[in-house]
Amino acid sequence: MKLSDELPVDHKLATVYRYGAAFCGLTLLVFGVLGFADELSPFGTDGQRIAGMSTNGVLSLVSVLVGLALIAGAVVGGNVASTLNMVVGVLFLLSGFVHIFILDRGANVLDFGMTNVMFSFVMGLIILTFGMYGRVSSKLSHDNPYWRRRHAREAARESLAARRRARHGELPAAGGSAPARALTATDVQRKG
């Protein structure tokens, strides 16, 4: 099964993934472009600041590239945007942890300061949350494609029972207002 098959194109979660990727991508893109506009030296570690964070040309380049990747993910949407958000979010969190230990050392080639570390943690959590939304939880609804994938047998039973009820006229017509009652295992056995 392909990853893109899990989430229908028109599923409401795709909108969350798209907007999350686009918002975070634009934020990073603006930060990177401001760094290029200031003509920063590529590996300078003299503490030049943009938007309250220290930066250099390499950090601006990385910000632009990651921002463009997130925007591309937003354009594609669906599972691509969700997975990309989760991967980039984890990378931001790891970057924050790594840079805590190399602050004020020669290995700090991206000229990170404590503000950058905090931004990395916050942005990582935001991007990660957008990516995991509706995908990782113990309370996913039964129509959620991720719940259906993880609980294939129960989803198949529910689907079979719904088709049988529809065949016997027990479900309201499309657009009807009466909610369908959740089936138990006993109901499925009784009908089968």
Side-chain angles (χ1 to χ4, degrees), residues 5-163:
D5 292 340
E6 284 185 47
L7 186 65
V9 174
D10 61 343
H11 198 276
K12 59 188 172 189
L13 293 175
T15 305
V16 174
Y17 304 147
R18 280 179 185 256
Y19 286 139
F23 167 73
C24 296
L26 285 173
T27 302
L28 292 171
L29 191 61
V30 166
F31 177 74
V33 168
L34 288 174
F36 284 134
D38 236 16
E39 298 178 3
L40 301 170
S41 63
F43 292 101
T45 57
D46 53 357
Q48 289 192 347
R49 300 182 88 63
I50 301 239
M53 294 183 285
S54 59
T55 188
N56 60 21
V58 175
L59 183 58
S60 294
L61 178 64
V62 169
S63 297
V64 166
L65 292 176
V66 173
L68 288 174
L70 286 171
I71 291 170
V75 170
V76 173
N79 282 341
V80 172
S82 172
T83 303
L84 185 64
N85 283 347
M86 288 194 295
V87 168
V88 170
V90 167
L91 290 175
F92 263 80
L93 291 174
L94 290 174
S95 172
F97 282 116
V98 167
H99 282 93
I100 281 178
F101 294 107
I102 62 172
L103 287 176
D104 300 326
R105 293 206 167 94
N108 188 5
V109 295
L110 296 180
D111 194 26
F112 260 54
M114 192 50 130
T115 310
N116 299 68
V117 170
M118 296 309 295
F119 176 81
S120 188
F121 283 137
V122 170
M123 183 60 90
L125 287 173
I126 290 171
I127 296 171
L128 192 59
T129 301
F130 275 124
M132 292 188 328
Y133 182 80
R135 208 170 167 172
V136 180
S137 173
S138 63
K139 303 287 184 189
L140 295 176
S141 66
H142 289 214
D143 71 334
N144 185 299
Y146 299 108
W147 181 89
R148 297 184 74 74
R149 169 84 175 169
R150 291 180 197 135
H151 303 92
R153 286 185 178 167
E154 191 174 344
R157 279 195 300 260
E158 288 179 3
S159 178
L160 177 63
R163 283 194 305 265

